[in-house]
Amino acid sequence: MFPARIEEGNVVRPVGDEMIIQDRTGTRTRQLNTTATLIWRLCDGSHSVSDIVDILAQRFDAPRDRVAEDVAKTVASFAVEGLVSNVDSMPKAIGASPA
């Protein structure tokens, strides 16, 4: 279970509790809502995806299974866009089955 890690070179601009991220090539810009911003900040290389799920489930007093699904989708979209790395074993790490 490896920690998710933000890829270097992205341009990040906080906007209140949200964030705007431009990828390192300058071709894509993404606006993150408050929850996605929290997930992004936890992709710091020291938290595994499972850790992120646990933190959010506790913070929002929500069922872990439901949080795991949302975190998996969010982190997977970050990975597809080249914004985070080190998430190869994500479904196993969070206790979800691969899609």
Side-chain angles (χ1 to χ4, degrees):
M1 177 167 26
F2 301 101
R5 186 182 70 238
I6 295 171
E7 284 294 319
E8 293 187 23
N10 297 302
V11 177
V12 179
R13 186 175 63 187
V15 180
D17 290 339
E18 298 183 353
M19 191 173 293
I20 296 174
I21 303 172
Q22 185 175 33
D23 70 5
R24 63 183 161 266
T25 66
T27 57
R28 289 190 207 176
T29 301
R30 178 164 181 183
Q31 183 169 352
L32 306 182
N33 66 23
T34 303
T35 305
T37 296
L38 178 57
I39 294 168
W40 169 263
R41 289 183 173 147
L42 290 169
C43 291
D44 59 4
S46 65
H47 293 96
S48 68
V49 175
S50 183
D51 294 338
I52 295 169
V53 170
D54 290 339
I55 290 166
L56 267 63
Q58 182 177 13
R59 180 172 183 161
F60 296 111
D61 192 27
R64 190 181 191 285
D65 290 348
R66 182 172 176 202
V67 172
E69 183 178 328
D70 292 342
V71 169
K73 287 178 185 176
T74 301
V75 174
S77 72
F78 290 165
V80 166
E81 294 175 19
L83 302 177
V84 298
S85 61
N86 226 15
V87 293
D88 310 346
S89 60
M90 185 173 50
K92 182 180 178 189
I94 62 173
S97 56

